[in-house]
Structure formats: structure tokens, C-alpha cells
Amino acid sequence: MMAQIIDGKALSLQKKQELKKTVDAMRQKGLTVCLAVILVGDDPASGVYVANKEKDCAELGIESRPYRLPADTKMEDLLTLVDQLNRDPSVNGILCQLPLPSGLNADRVIAAIDPRKDVDAFHPENVGHIMIGRYHFLPCTPAGVMKMLDHYGVEIRGKRCVVVGRSNIVGKPMAMLLLQRDGTVTVCHSKTKGLTEICREADILVCAIGRPRFITADMVKDGAVVIDVGMNRVNGHWCGDVDFEAVSGKASAITPVPGGVGPMTREVLMENTVMAAALQYDMGEPV
């Protein structure tokens, strides 16, 4: 029996329709929503990601303000731009596309962004809020995963949850969100011993390590819910961190790549931008 497909593309379209109503209502009150996107260098993948974000903004009626800088941009100039955007009241959200070219310190850039405009939720202040469970913004990918689990009725409370990957962007915040929902969480990484056995214990398995088809069928318990965060280009085609064909025969539900987590990551970014605008306009939380 094949697993149920957790369709992130369809869910993101539904969520974006709801979000557009909020943006339209704000516009009727004379309130605009603006996202500033900084892209340094000419990394092809980053260019695609930024183009997709601009497309999402256009669909929702959010102003997208791009800042494309050459790869040899100096750190001081990048920080000066961030400061200008922090001070600009017409800019509600600031996103600096990662990774940055060598010689630029991503941590310094993230720390320089006003936490109220940090729609990626990477600023140390926002990370602290997430740790204690009192936040306005969540990192886009983990928040998207939680929305998918909720939409498909996946119970988290009391379940064994295994997160493979410990990045600040996905792995760590993913573990915190599952923990806050009463999951029993294990975080695995490159130094973990007995990884296969640990993964086999998971009721909910989230893989975010960037290694094509790393999770094989023998690593998955029958009936597990498998969330594949990976996006890997192999022989001209996209694939995830999970061997989809093999694992979908054992899992009860699974996300495809593409069309799974990716669209929900982008949708949450739009939600965070609208949230930032509403808070800056003292409207409270609209979404």
C-alpha cells in the first residue's frame, strides 16, 4: 500500500488565497506590505529562489523590492544597506538570500537586521523567542512542515520524532517546534552512531541534510510519517534526501520532492512578511 502524499503545493495555494484576502483588506485601509530582498553575487540557485519569492509577492499584492549586489560587495556596504532598510518605514520585511559569497559574514548580516523585520526568523533575538515558545515569526521551512502535519491530521503529542540534520535554519528549530507540541524528539547528525536504528524508531521522521536519497526503506518504520526537506539536483532532476520510491511503500504519509516542503516554505515567508507589516502598523496578528 502506497503512502498518502502530503501535497505542499496544493496546501500553499490554499494558504496564499487566504493570505491575499488579508493583504487586500490592509490595502483598503491604505496599508501596504513591502519585502526587501538582498541578493549578493550570481549564484544560480539563489537567483531562482529570489525570482520565486518575487513571483509570490506579485501574486499576493506584496511589493517586492530587490537589491542585487555584485559578488565583490564589501561587508561594510552590505551592512550599510541593511541599516538603511531597517530605518525605512515603507519596508516591512528584510531577507538576505543565503549563502553569501566568500568573505561576507552571514551571522553579522543576520544580527544587523531589525528583529521586527527579520522575516526569516534567523536573528538571535527571534531564535530566543522560539526557544521559549513566545514568538511572532518562525523559520519558514520548519513552520511550513508544522502546517503540513496539522493539515493532514498528523498527531504529534507523545510521538517519537526524529530530525536528521541540526542546522540553525531547519534542524534545530524543527526539533523545538516538535518538542513544543509534546513530541519526544531526537536530533541526529553526521556524528550520530546507530543512525539507522534511531530512524527506525521514528513515528515522524524529518530529513534535512542535503544528501540525495540518503534515507532508505530499511531506515523507516512501517507506518511512519516522512517529511523530506532536501532539494538536490541529480542528473538534471530534483530529488530529496529520501529514496521516495522505496520509502513510500512503507510510510503512511510522505512529502514529495518537488511539490512538498518547498512551496510551504515560500508561503510561510509571505505570512511572516504580512505579520511583520501588521505588527509595525499596530494591527496585532492578522494571520
Side-chain angles (χ1 to χ4, degrees), residues 1-110:
M1 183 175 177
M2 291 292 288
Q4 179 182 28
I5 301 300
I6 299 178
D7 190 339
K9 186 174 181 179
L11 179 58
S12 71
L13 290 173
Q14 175 188 322
K15 294 289 186 183
K16 281 159 68 174
Q17 288 173 354
E18 297 169 2
L19 194 57
K20 189 176 188 306
K21 294 177 183 177
T22 301
V23 176
D24 290 344
M26 292 174 70
R27 188 185 296 111
Q28 289 174 3
K29 296 178 181 179
L31 305 176
T32 59
V33 182
C34 174
L35 173 65
V37 180
I38 302 171
L39 176 61
V40 186
D42 52 6
D43 179 74
S46 292
V48 171
Y49 295 148
V50 168
N52 284 335
K53 290 163 186 174
E54 291 175 343
K55 178 183 174 185
D56 292 335
C57 286
E59 290 175 356
L60 294 174
I62 295 172
E63 179 190 351
S64 177
R65 203 174 292 179
Y67 294 85
R68 289 178 167 81
L69 307 177
D72 60 357
T73 296
K74 292 182 172 59
M75 191 69 197
E76 293 73 20
D77 294 334
L78 181 53
L79 293 176
T80 296
L81 173 59
V82 170
D83 183 60
Q84 291 171 350
L85 297 174
N86 284 340
R87 296 169 183 272
D88 187 341
S90 70
V91 172
N92 306 115
I94 303 170
L95 181 152
C96 185
Q97 182 66 45
L98 302 178
L100 292 173
S102 61
L104 296 176
N105 187 318
D107 289 340
R108 284 185 65 193
V109 176
I110 290 167

Side-chain angles (χ1 to χ4, degrees), residues 21 121 206 274:
K21 294 177 183 177
V206 181
V274 174

Side-chain angles (χ1 to χ4, degrees), residues 55 116 121 211 241:
K55 178 183 174 185
R116 297 170 300 174
R211 295 177 63 178
D241 291 350

Side-chain angles (χ1 to χ4, degrees), residues 111-123:
I113 295 173
D114 185 333
R116 297 170 300 174
K117 298 187 178 187
D118 169 37
V119 290
D120 266 332
F122 294 162
H123 190 283

